[in-house]
Amino acid sequence: MTTQTTASETPSVPAAGTPTGLIGLPPALGRALATAGAVLTIVSTFLSWTWTQDFPGDLTVYGYPGGLQVLVLIGAALTTLLALASYGVKGLKWLAPAGADPALKLAALATFATAWFTVIAISVELGGVVNLEPGGYFVAVTSLATLVGALALPFQRPEPDPVDPEDSGWEQFRHRAGQAWETVKAAFAADRPRPVGKLPAYAEILIIVAVLALALTVFTYGIGTEYDELFVGFLITAGFGFAALNKSGLIVHASQITSRHQNITICGAFVAAALFPFTQTDDQYATLGVYILIFATVALGLNVVVGLAGLLDLGYVAFLGVGAYAAALVSGSPSSPLSVHFPFWAAALVGAAASLVFGVLIGAPTLRLRGDYLAIVTLGFGEIFRITANNLDGTSGPDITNGSNGISSIPNLKILGVDLGAQHDVAGFTIGRFANYFFLMLVITAVVVLVFRRSGDSRIGRAWVAIREDETAALAMGINGFRVKLIAFAVGACLAGLAGTVQAHVTYTVTPEQYYFAGPVPPNSAFLLAAVVLGGMGTIGGPLIGASLLFLIPNKLQFLGNYQLFAFGVALILLMRFRPEGLVPNRRRQLEFHEEAEAPAVLGKTGA
């Protein structure tokens, strides 16, 4: 005799596709655990984590967070706000227009990773966990509880694919591992977006100001980290924090606002950048600032060639070298064979014009090639330039570049009677040499941004995009492909040469070793290309942000020694795996990489 069970007697088993958590806790309990854990983590940052000041940051003070404790406090505060937003607290819905649960998981992960990194660093550097105070144990427990609670929040579990019984054991293992990975990705996937009403114009402008102020604060904090552990913690907190805000939909919402006020956003960004030297107490970090701007400007010029026209140029750093050498030859250097001293505006025109001419001379015979063949030829040109500059020493060739010694003792610039090599007092602030060149480079960056933006919106810019998307179709529509590509090559080379004129005066010396394809330090062709791809091809902000990160991170990771490039390479792989369209993606490329996510929405709109 069989017995039948009613629906009320059936065990509580979630149906396929029902939103459940990554772990077995009830979602309500997980949400409460994540909220309470985040609040207690905030409290833990006001406790002492270690008894000795030997660990940098002085984590021995009660009631006053310092060093890495501040980063844990920021992560825990963000986690708390997202947890309250997930409860539907009025006044916090703006924080998560696309849903708070996925963002809460990432914010909890940021807090956990930073806290445990600090605890492990204290234990390793000081010789064991005995060096931890109660606050150190407390933050380890509370941050772990926060992460466990966040992972219990519901997500849409993907439907598993059936396993083929004829597969080998290794193939079945790979299949199950792939299913597990899809489950983990779904746990951090975004919820259904919630509509956000359009704000008044003045409110959107205030939001833009707040975003720019936050960006300046984050950049200033990151570039001014005083010790290695603090920078690693900053990378963890900033990386996962940005991912959390992106999952919450706040980044997308802010991007929509800035796109509606592009002119205000660009002007505000340059104003914020101009305030950077005034945030520094000395000229130390202004040095990094000016090199970042040089690197970013050259990357933006390469974005014309790669991002808009779709031409893979692996020798682009050579145009930077041509501009630097041309400016150095006419700037009054005692080691220059030319006994002339041009003013800066004339030297800048000489450097830009020389790079433009070289761009045309190299592009004319090579731009009839496509794809990998063009990349190989441009790579060869970059190496030929470096070797030629090394041989023009008066022995192997004419005495022009002084060979491997380069052109040295390049004098400081004087513009309108202002010596950029001397300190100046402005509104009570002392502006040093590198800060002076920072302001000059900021003006040149503005010129490059203007050229990029106007050319991208012009008829020739649309022709570049057409060539990039499908050259055969563009030729069939009547576009002169060779002429269009040659113009892109020439414009990109000219912009690189313009940045090279400033680089020659900042570094005092121009040598061939500065222009390798993949040298030990940027800018080089490999890093420039990585900055464009990682930042976002075809955009203005992408190469600027990508260049800033690619210059700052290796500079700050020097303490890793031989493992520096390994850690940097792992970071690049992870970034390209989870955000292949770049940090600031072009809308077209974003749809190409996430076509499966966008197609239903597009079809739905079409069907309506």
Side-chain angles (χ1 to χ4, degrees):
M1 183 176 182
T2 60
T3 59
Q4 295 181 350
T5 58
T6 62
S8 60
E9 298 171 344
T10 304
S12 176
V13 178
T18 302
T20 58
L22 190 63
I23 59 178
L25 290 177
L29 178 60
R31 197 180 308 275
L33 181 61
T35 306
V39 173
L40 292 176
T41 302
I42 293 177
V43 174
S44 70
T45 60
F46 291 87
L47 303 177
S48 173
W49 288 9
T50 181
W51 63 273
T52 175
Q53 296 183 3
D54 291 342
F55 188 82
D58 193 7
L59 309 185
T60 65
V61 181
Y62 282 88
Y64 187 81
L68 286 162
Q69 287 176 325
V70 176
L71 297 176
V72 176
L73 174 61
I74 294 173
L78 178 61
T79 306
T80 302
L81 291 175
L82 290 171
L84 295 176
S86 69
Y87 277 109
V89 174
K90 190 174 182 180
L92 290 178
K93 292 183 179 180
W94 61 271
L95 189 60
D101 286 355
L104 177 57
K105 296 182 181 74
L106 289 168
L109 183 58
T111 307
F112 167 80
T114 308
W116 278 68
F117 165 75
T118 307
V119 170
I120 294 174
I122 292 173
S123 303
V124 171
E125 292 187 18
L126 301 184
V129 295
V130 296
N131 294 283
L132 294 174
E133 286 284 282
Y137 295 103
F138 188 54
V139 72
V141 173
T142 57
S143 60
L144 178 60
T146 304
L147 180 62
V148 171
L151 293 179
L153 298 180
F155 67 95
Q156 190 68 33
R157 193 180 298 272
E159 294 289 344
D161 296 327
V163 179
D164 190 349
E166 297 182 358
D167 286 343
S168 64
W170 170 246
E171 291 174 340
Q172 293 184 14
F173 171 77
R174 289 180 56 189
H175 183 82
R176 293 190 179 95
Q179 290 181 355
W181 175 242
E182 292 298 326
T183 300
V184 173
K185 286 199 301 181
F188 292 92
D191 293 340
R192 290 177 296 179
R194 303 172 186 170
V196 179
K198 189 175 180 179
L199 298 173
Y202 72 89
E204 292 188 340
I205 293 175
L206 290 177
I207 291 175
I208 292 173
V209 173
V211 169
L212 294 176
L214 178 62
L216 177 61
T217 303
V218 172
F219 177 77
T220 303
Y221 185 90
I223 204 173
T225 47
E226 299 176 352
Y227 49 93
D228 304 331
E229 295 86 354
L230 184 61
F231 182 73
V232 174
F234 166 77
L235 286 182
I236 296 173
T237 304
F240 284 114
F242 176 83
L245 295 177
N246 184 53
K247 283 296 183 183
S248 71
L250 197 61
I251 299 294
V252 175
H253 186 45
S255 300
Q256 293 172 353
I257 292 176
T258 56
S259 64
R260 289 196 289 266
H261 305 277
Q262 286 189 1
N263 292 331
I264 294 177
T265 303
I266 293 175
C267 293
F270 279 102
V271 171
L275 294 176
F276 167 71
F278 296 99
T279 64
Q280 308 300 310
T281 56
D282 54 36
D283 214 30
Q284 176 185 1
Y285 297 117
T287 306
L288 291 177
V290 68
Y291 283 119
I292 286 174
L293 278 183
I294 293 174
F295 189 18
T297 303
V298 180
L300 195 58
L302 179 60
N303 200 23
V304 174
V305 180
V306 177
L308 293 182
L311 306 174
L312 186 55
D313 188 352
L314 298 182
Y316 187 76
V317 74
F319 299 124
L320 175 70
V322 170
Y325 267 105
L329 287 171
V330 299
S331 294
S333 170
S335 59
S336 170
L338 306 179
S339 300
V340 293
H341 190 174
F342 288 4
F344 172 69
W345 63 268
L349 290 178
V350 169
S355 295
L356 187 149
V357 170
F358 270 81
V360 173
L361 292 178
I362 297 301
T366 61
L367 286 177
R368 300 187 186 279
L369 301 173
R370 297 188 187 183
D372 300 338
Y373 302 100
L374 177 63
I376 294 173
V377 170
T378 54
L379 175 61
F381 162 67
E383 291 300 301
I384 289 173
F385 163 77
R386 182 180 58 81
I387 295 172
T388 302
N390 197 43
N391 289 335
L392 297 180
D393 56 357
T395 301
S396 302
D399 186 10
I400 298 177
T401 64
N402 204 22
S404 59
N405 294 323
I407 300 177
S408 60
S409 302
I410 300 173
N412 285 306
L413 291 174
K414 289 185 179 180
I415 301 177
L416 299 178
V418 179
D419 186 0
L420 299 188
Q423 291 186 350
H424 303 281
D425 292 329
V426 179
F429 294 90
T430 300
I431 304 300
R433 175 181 185 271
F434 287 104
N436 293 329
Y437 281 106
F438 179 87
F439 289 124
L440 173 62
M441 200 61 225
L442 197 61
V443 173
I444 292 179
T445 303
V447 173
V448 174
V449 168
L450 179 63
V451 171
F452 180 88
R453 188 180 180 191
R454 297 300 297 173
S455 61
D457 294 337
S458 65
R459 180 178 179 181
I460 191 67
R462 293 191 294 271
W464 287 338
V465 173
I467 291 290
R468 181 192 69 193
E469 295 300 317
D470 193 329
E471 185 173 352
T472 302
L475 295 177
M477 295 298 294
I479 295 176
N480 188 331
F482 174 75
R483 182 175 65 88
V484 167
K485 291 190 291 184
L486 187 60
I487 292 175
F489 224 66
V491 170
C494 181
L495 297 180
L498 186 61
T501 61
V502 180
Q503 185 205 28
H505 291 85
V506 171
T507 58
Y508 286 124
T509 302
V510 181
T511 60
E513 286 72 20
Q514 298 174 351
Y515 307 106
Y516 277 98
F517 165 72
V521 293
N524 53 61
S525 293
F527 271 71
L528 288 170
L529 184 60
V532 173
V533 175
L534 296 178
M537 294 172 59
T539 63
I540 295 177
L544 299 179
I545 295 176
S548 301
L549 293 177
L550 289 181
F551 191 93
L552 180 61
I553 293 177
N555 186 277
K556 291 287 187 175
L557 292 181
Q558 292 181 1
F559 68 94
L560 293 177
N562 295 332
Y563 296 97
Q564 175 187 355
L565 288 180
F566 172 77
F568 187 59
V570 170
L572 295 184
I573 292 173
L574 292 176
L575 181 59
M576 293 308 298
R577 172 60 184 84
F578 293 102
R579 199 169 177 84
E581 68 273 21
L583 295 175
V584 184
N586 177 274
R587 182 61 176 168
R588 185 190 302 271
R589 289 184 58 81
Q590 192 173 24
L591 290 175
E592 291 175 358
F593 283 106
H594 301 282
E595 185 176 357
E596 71 284 353
E598 298 289 342
V602 174
L603 292 176
K605 292 179 182 179
T606 305

